[in-house]
Amino acid sequence: MKQKLFELHERKLQMLINKKPIKNDRNDEEFHAFERRLQSNDKRKTEIVKGSTTVRITKIEDQSMDLKNALYTCHYKWLNKQYDRFFLEERIEHRKARFYRDELVDDRIVDFNEIGNEPAPSADDQRSKESFVYDRLAAVQYAERWWNSANPAYKNFDVNCTNFISQCLHAGGAQMRGYPNRSSGWWMQQNNWSFSWSVANSMRSFFLHSKTGLRAEVVDSAEQLMPGDVICYDFQGDGRYDHTTFVVAKDQGNMPLVNAQTYNSRMRYWAYEDSTAYTPNIKYTFFRIIDDTSSK
């Protein structure tokens, strides 16, 4: 079972390296995501020169004598070359495979759904006694240290993208405020948390309204972001934002490379065109974190 899964993902890896995607009738969404990845790489003058895959089965579910489901993780590593620069991109996929009489009949990414409806948080303009100075380097170092693991100092969730971003910002010196009102401020403590700390749509709303302490300004394009900044994603373009990522570097074209959790990723190209969640209606909000030293 593990060998069949490993061989499947090795074939996918070779598709990207050889720039020849092969249609997989079981899952057209992934086929289209591969096509978009190759198109994006071509535009960016980027190629995958080599890579590796690691498969780890976490659970076997017996559905019947002949039918079994395997829950597993696949850890991709891609060495990308852009002009004269190399950088290592990594991604963890949580997947579910179905086997009938030991033959692989279906394989797909596990669908994590964002938390349901919640009120938009107020920014809570209570001023901190200390000025906010954002340490971008410390925030990026945190994102690099924890992109693929859970810091035991914080509660973690199945859908952990925004919680991870909040931890990065906190590591950069952002102070919590608003406790214990979940609809106020930005905080996590005593096994409780604000919506803005853990929900993508609420974090975006917080950034749009916060005027003191942790705050951000919207910029027009991804090129204007720096390591330590945040991107929010509305995959469906319906006004409800689903995902957040953290900028950790810039590529040779001055475009952001991001780290993220839920679908754990490191040094991923910011646009997410190679995601199965991507749609032509996708919208982005680009947030540059500002502090009390930022120019007015």
Side-chain angles (χ1 to χ4, degrees):
M1 188 178 286
K2 183 177 180 180
Q3 182 62 27
K4 289 182 183 293
L5 294 173
F6 175 76
E7 291 171 356
L8 169 68
H9 291 288
E10 276 293 301
R11 289 197 298 271
K12 291 182 179 181
L13 179 62
Q14 292 306 314
M15 292 177 199
L16 291 174
I17 293 174
N18 298 325
K19 302 180 182 179
K20 293 181 179 179
I22 301 171
K23 186 169 183 178
N24 179 358
D25 292 331
R26 297 190 190 110
N27 197 335
D28 279 346
E29 286 184 1
E30 288 200 54
F31 168 70
H32 293 310
F34 268 66
E35 281 191 323
R36 292 192 298 268
R37 170 71 182 252
L38 292 175
Q39 291 168 1
S40 174
N41 283 358
D42 188 54
K43 291 178 188 175
R44 298 169 57 216
K45 308 299 182 187
T46 302
E47 62 177 325
I48 299 173
V49 295
K50 65 178 181 178
S52 66
T53 59
T54 305
V55 170
R56 183 173 67 90
I57 296 177
T58 55
K59 186 177 181 181
I60 303 293
E61 300 174 337
D62 292 323
Q63 303 297 301
S64 68
M65 183 179 297
D66 296 324
L67 190 64
K68 299 179 187 295
N69 290 336
L71 299 178
Y72 72 100
T73 59
C74 182
H75 186 169
Y76 283 106
K77 293 183 180 180
W78 298 290
L79 183 63
N80 295 291
K81 180 182 179 184
Q82 186 183 41
Y83 300 103
D84 59 350
R85 179 189 173 195
F86 292 85
F87 61 92
L88 182 66
E89 178 184 354
E90 298 184 64
R91 198 173 307 170
I92 306 294
E93 292 183 350
H94 296 267
R95 305 186 66 91
K96 184 175 184 178
R98 177 162 289 191
F99 288 83
Y100 181 74
R101 295 182 178 177
D102 295 326
E103 288 298 318
L104 179 61
V105 295
D106 190 40
D107 178 76
R108 60 188 65 249
I109 295 175
V110 174
D111 182 23
F112 291 106
N113 292 312
E114 182 63 273
I115 301 170
N117 294 328
E118 80 292 330
S122 69
D124 183 17
D125 232 2
Q126 178 182 352
R127 294 191 175 274
S128 170
K129 294 180 181 179
E130 298 180 1
S131 62
F132 169 44
V133 177
Y134 187 40
D135 187 339
R136 289 179 177 271
L137 178 59
V140 169
Q141 288 174 333
Y142 185 96
E144 286 284 86
R145 165 63 180 84
W146 293 102
W147 73 271
N148 189 34
S149 55
N151 186 342
Y154 297 91
K155 180 177 176 62
N156 280 268
F157 309 92
D158 287 338
V159 179
N160 207 56
C161 59
T162 306
N163 180 31
F164 172 66
I165 303 306
S166 289
Q167 292 174 31
C168 295
L169 295 168
H170 189 51
Q175 298 300 306
M176 302 180 193
R177 68 178 193 268
Y179 173 82
N181 185 346
R182 298 192 73 193
S183 298
S184 178
W186 174 80
W187 55 271
M188 173 181 274
Q189 52 186 298
Q190 298 186 14
N191 204 34
N192 201 358
W193 55 90
S194 65
F195 294 116
S196 59
W197 182 280
S198 61
V199 181
N201 199 55
S202 297
M203 172 172 276
R204 177 179 180 271
S205 179
F206 173 80
F207 278 143
L208 291 174
H209 296 96
S210 181
K211 304 299 182 186
T212 187
L214 175 61
R215 56 199 187 274
E217 62 181 3
V218 177
V219 296
D220 296 328
S221 65
E223 295 98 317
Q224 295 173 269
L225 298 178
M226 300 179 290
D229 288 332
V230 175
I231 304 175
C232 294
Y233 300 73
D234 174 5
F235 287 116
Q236 298 297 322
D238 59 5
R240 179 175 179 79
Y241 282 71
D242 317 284
H243 189 51
T244 48
T245 66
F246 195 76
V247 179
V248 294
K250 303 292 285 289
D251 72 6
Q252 294 274 76
N254 196 36
M255 300 300 277
L257 301 174
V258 299
N259 287 14
Q261 285 198 355
T262 302
Y263 301 109
N264 297 356
S265 304
R266 176 179 180 269
M267 292 289 219
R268 186 173 186 171
Y269 187 63
W270 70 271
Y272 267 62
E273 293 169 329
D274 60 341
S275 169
T276 55
Y278 176 89
T279 74
N281 299 320
I282 193 169
K283 295 179 181 177
Y284 310 93
T285 304
F286 306 113
F287 284 112
R288 178 189 291 149
I289 305 301
I290 56 177
D291 64 10
D292 296 330
T293 68
S294 301
S295 58
K296 304 299 182 184

